[in-house]
Amino acid sequence: MRLRARLLSAASAAVLALAAGGCFRSRGATLPPVDPAVLPAAVTLGPGDVIEVRVYGEPELSGVYLVGRLGDVTFPLCRTVVLGGLSANGAAEKLRECLLAGFMRDPQVSVLVKEYNSKKVFVFGEVQKPGTFVYEDGMSIVQAITVAGGFTKTAARNSTSVTRRVNGQEVKVKVSVEDIALGKASNFTLDPGDIVYVPESLF
């Protein structure tokens, strides 16, 4: 999951860097190197998120847990464990360390995020149901617009923009959503906090 998140973040950051510089490169062209320092951080857990913990061979420890308002979960044997601010892999490692501390010899722990309720994306403009929506791991711009009820009849679909904070600054990139739907362009992966805006068509 960590590798997948890094790849998705790197791809998104590369697209934003090209758009911000006013450049365009066709498919197959070599992208410029991306500075890891400006890549968006991996998606982390927060209050309200729902996770599924699996401990190999220990069904009484495996189950679904809600992250509390302090970023904590109540986990058997470990009692209260703070997982807020950690990625899914980081949460799994912290639970594993707890179980290693006198409870189990070599626990195999995995964490799957079922709901990112602490992370949001915002969809405004010419969509049927503009508003704030729960972010899902790997969420694409097509998914976000679908959750918002789809485009209105007057939407300028290929002029959709995504605003994102990168390295402390807001960066806006144009995304041709209609071309994505027609298979003419690659889908665009969102990050938590992204603002999607669909303008009205002038024609």
Side-chain angles (χ1 to χ4, degrees), residues 2 9 13 15 29 32 46 50 66 88 94 98 109 152 185 190-191 198:
R2 181 178 298 172
S9 294
V15 172
V50 179
L66 174 68
K94 188 163 186 178
C98 172
V109 183
T152 65
L190 298 176
D191 281 349
V198 183

Side-chain angles (χ1 to χ4, degrees), residues 5-27:
R6 287 179 178 173
L7 291 173
L8 290 174
S9 294
S12 297
V15 172
L16 287 168
L18 289 173
C23 302
F24 175 81
R25 292 174 182 263
S26 60
R27 289 186 181 181

Side-chain angles (χ1 to χ4, degrees), residues 115-194:
E115 296 179 19
Y116 271 118
N117 294 317
S118 66
K119 305 295 188 295
K120 309 292 183 181
V121 293
F122 310 90
V123 186
F124 300 114
E126 296 300 310
V127 291
Q128 301 291 344
K129 297 183 295 182
T132 303
F133 303 96
V134 174
Y135 173 81
E136 297 179 10
D137 191 21
M139 191 176 199
S140 71
I141 192 168
V142 172
Q143 284 178 277
I145 291 174
T146 300
V147 171
F151 292 112
T152 65
K153 293 181 179 180
T154 58
R157 305 182 182 196
N158 274 343
S159 295
T160 300
S161 66
V162 175
T163 301
R164 175 180 299 173
R165 293 195 67 82
V166 179
N167 200 25
Q169 296 183 340
E170 284 192 351
V171 178
K172 181 180 292 185
V173 59
K174 178 181 175 182
V175 183
S176 301
V177 180
E178 186 171 27
D179 286 350
I180 293 173
L182 294 174
K184 297 179 179 180
S186 299
N187 212 336
F188 185 90
T189 303
L190 298 176
D191 281 349
D194 279 355

Side-chain angles (χ1 to χ4, degrees), residues 29-142:
T30 302
L31 293 174
V34 178
D35 182 358
V38 303
L39 294 180
V43 180
T44 57
L45 296 173
D49 290 344
V50 179
I51 62 174
E52 181 178 357
V53 180
R54 298 174 183 173
V55 183
Y56 181 75
E58 301 291 339
E60 68 277 8
L61 298 179
S62 301
V64 176
Y65 298 86
L66 174 68
V67 180
R69 63 183 183 86
L70 300 179
D72 57 331
V73 298
T74 301
F75 190 70
L77 300 180
C78 300
R79 297 186 179 180
T80 301
V81 183
V82 177
L83 302 180
L86 299 177
S87 65
N89 285 342
E93 183 59 29
K94 188 163 186 178
L95 292 173
R96 181 177 184 277
E97 290 174 355
C98 172
L99 293 175
L100 273 172
F103 299 110
M104 299 176 65
R105 177 175 296 180
D106 185 24
Q108 303 299 310
V109 183
S110 64
V111 171
L112 173 68
V113 181
K114 298 180 72 67
E115 296 179 19
Y116 271 118
N117 294 317
S118 66
K119 305 295 188 295
K120 309 292 183 181
V121 293
F122 310 90
V123 186
F124 300 114
E126 296 300 310
V127 291
Q128 301 291 344
K129 297 183 295 182
T132 303
F133 303 96
V134 174
Y135 173 81
E136 297 179 10
D137 191 21
M139 191 176 199
S140 71
I141 192 168
V142 172

